[in-house]
Amino acid sequence: RIAKIAARGWFPLVRGGEALIEVTDARDAASALIAADTARDRAHGQAFNITGGAPMKTRDLLTEAFKELGLHPALIPVPWWLAASIVWTLEMVCRLLPSRPEPAATLYSIGTLAFTQTFDLTRARTILGWSPAYSPAQAMTRAGAAWRFRAPV
């Protein structure tokens, strides 16, 4: 969804792109599952935060991701109230259409880019013996390569 919007030549930076978010490489997620299985006697029934462990501003993350995807959209700051109003309206219109198409964005999806979401990995490190092995840059490079292999946006 993000690449399709960016391919139009612009991308909204809700709340100016100042929120901190974390990228999780799929290889790290998989290794965390293996670590949880290995430590199942200690980890049984517990929940663990698993992330890349390196928060980035949304603006910086999107700039790097778009670069990896070969996209160069203008990043346009948009206040939360305006973005939320537009997306809520879009969601309602899609619900009312007979084909019920999926909206280009949802309140949830813009919220994940608009508000800081960072997580403490202490329990994963101490109980599972797990830490992320891949940086956000490595994750984006791999994701960008996979995206370029797919059909064009």
Side-chain angles (χ1 to χ4, degrees):
R1 287 181 181 176
I2 289 173
K4 284 184 180 183
I5 293 168
R8 296 176 185 164
W10 64 277
F11 193 87
L13 275 182
V14 182
R15 299 183 72 220
E18 292 296 313
L20 294 174
I21 58 177
E22 296 179 270
V23 172
T24 306
D25 189 289
R27 295 168 292 182
D28 278 335
S31 72
L33 288 171
I34 293 167
D37 183 52
T38 302
R40 67 180 163 267
D41 292 339
R42 295 184 312 276
H44 182 72
Q46 298 184 57
F48 296 89
N49 293 322
I50 303 299
T51 72
M56 295 178 69
K57 286 187 177 184
T58 305
R59 177 187 341 93
D60 299 336
L61 178 76
L62 290 171
T63 298
E64 289 300 313
F66 293 148
K67 182 176 127 187
E68 287 296 333
L69 296 173
L71 300 171
H72 306 283
L75 300 176
I76 311 297
V78 178
W80 170 254
W81 67 267
L82 179 59
S85 299
I86 291 169
V87 168
W88 182 85
T89 302
L90 178 63
E91 284 186 83
M92 293 305 109
V93 168
C94 287
R95 279 188 192 163
L96 294 173
L97 292 172
S99 64
R100 295 181 64 96
E102 191 170 335
T106 64
L107 285 173
Y108 175 78
S109 67
I110 65 169
T112 61
L113 298 175
F115 297 98
T116 293
Q117 297 182 63
T118 59
F119 302 91
D120 183 358
L121 302 179
T122 302
R123 293 181 66 249
R125 287 185 171 113
T126 57
I127 297 171
L128 303 180
W130 178 87
S131 290
Y134 300 95
S135 70
Q138 290 170 308
M140 286 186 278
T141 297
R142 187 171 173 97
W147 179 261
R148 285 188 300 275
F149 183 72
R150 294 181 59 209
V153 179

